[in-house]
């Protein structure tokens, strides 16, 4: 079943991660952008500086602790992010084929000529009640060589809808 931006989907713990990914996308891409999303969550070897974030974001430590438990294991994403976005998913194998061979970004843009960038989501860290969450997004674009830029977002559930509480990521221009 597709999610529609105009009709809120029923909220369950099973689809909270996808709803969080949607809430983040709504804040980092404009509706006309086409984005390619990695099919697997990214991993982080080093622990993000959540003490700094926690002090400024004013939520419990539970989502950060849960995020840190999950951050070293890559998991497949549920590919149903719903309607209202222009996106395509890219498998790890296809991403390796594109970037390990000569051509790299040229190969990527030949395959996805309208893509603004390539992003990967982290697994989502939740508090026990599933009312607070932390998620990371790694953005890679041609002008940013290497592993890309990783930003973390804090979200809270308000009236059964995930709302971005804080991030250090600029909102996409509309």
């Amino acid at each position: 079943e597709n999610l529609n931006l105009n009709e809120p989907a029923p909220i369950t713990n099973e689809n909270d991660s996808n709803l969080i990914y949607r809430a983040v996308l709504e804040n980092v891409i404009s509706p006309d952008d086409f984005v390619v999303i990695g099919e697997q969550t990214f991993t982080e070897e080093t622990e993000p500086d959540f003490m700094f974030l926690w002090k400024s974001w004013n939520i419990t430590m539970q989502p950060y602790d849960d995020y840190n438990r999950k951050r070293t294991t890559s998991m497949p994403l549920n590919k149903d992010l719903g309607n209202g976005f222009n996106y395509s998913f890219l498998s790890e194998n296809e991403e390796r084929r594109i970037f390990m061979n000569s051509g790299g970004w040229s190969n990527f843009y030949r395959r996805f000529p309208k893509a603004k960038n390539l992003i990967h989501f982290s697994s989502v860290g939740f508090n026990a009640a599933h009312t607070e969450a932390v998620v990371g997004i790694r953005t890679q674009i041609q002008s940013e060589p290497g592993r890309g830029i990783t930003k973390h977002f804090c979200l809270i559930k308000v009236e059964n809808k995930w709302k971005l509480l804080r991030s250090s990521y600029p909102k996409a221009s509309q």
Side-chain angles (χ1 to χ4, degrees):
E1 181 180 338
N2 284 335
L3 298 176
N4 186 312
L5 286 175
N6 300 323
E7 298 174 19
I11 309 299
T12 64
N13 287 347
E14 293 80 39
N15 69 5
D16 271 347
S17 291
N18 268 20
L19 293 172
I20 287 167
Y21 296 144
R22 279 186 63 79
V24 170
L25 284 175
E26 288 170 359
N27 282 275
V28 299
I29 66 170
S30 55
D32 296 331
D33 289 342
F34 174 72
V35 65
V36 179
I37 303 169
E39 285 184 347
Q40 295 280 124
T41 60
F42 72 81
T43 60
E44 290 184 281
E45 294 305 316
T46 37
E47 184 174 326
D49 185 7
F50 284 139
M51 286 310 292
F52 168 76
L53 299 175
W54 175 70
K55 288 177 183 176
S56 65
W57 287 357
N58 198 28
I59 65 169
T60 67
M61 283 300 293
Q62 289 179 350
Y64 302 114
D65 293 340
D66 189 44
Y67 180 93
N68 278 323
R69 278 191 292 276
K70 297 173 180 176
R71 72 179 162 78
T72 58
T73 305
S74 182
M75 301 295 293
L77 292 178
N78 176 334
K79 293 189 202 173
D80 182 12
L81 295 179
N83 299 324
F85 297 106
N86 298 308
Y87 63 89
S88 181
F89 282 92
L90 182 64
S91 72
E92 278 189 283
N93 287 338
E94 184 65 15
E95 187 173 345
R96 262 193 295 280
R97 280 194 295 275
I98 288 172
F99 290 104
M100 294 305 238
N101 299 325
S102 64
W105 283 104
S106 297
N107 293 339
F108 176 81
Y109 286 113
R110 257 193 305 281
R111 171 104 191 277
F112 302 104
K114 296 183 180 193
K116 179 170 179 145
N117 52 23
L118 170 62
I119 65 171
H120 293 88
F121 285 107
S122 70
S123 294
V124 179
F126 292 101
N127 67 344
H130 270 241
T131 57
E132 299 174 338
V134 172
V135 66
I137 182 174
R138 179 169 293 148
T139 304
Q140 296 171 269
I141 58 176
Q142 189 169 4
S143 62
E144 297 166 1
R147 300 189 67 173
I149 297 171
T150 302
K151 301 291 182 181
H152 294 92
F153 296 82
C154 174
L155 297 95
I156 58 170
K157 192 184 274 188
V158 178
E159 297 178 3
N160 282 337
K161 184 168 172 62
W162 285 101
K163 303 276 186 190
L164 196 68
L165 180 63
R166 301 282 173 138
S167 84
S168 54
Y169 205 97
K171 183 164 174 58
S173 57
Q174 302 282 332

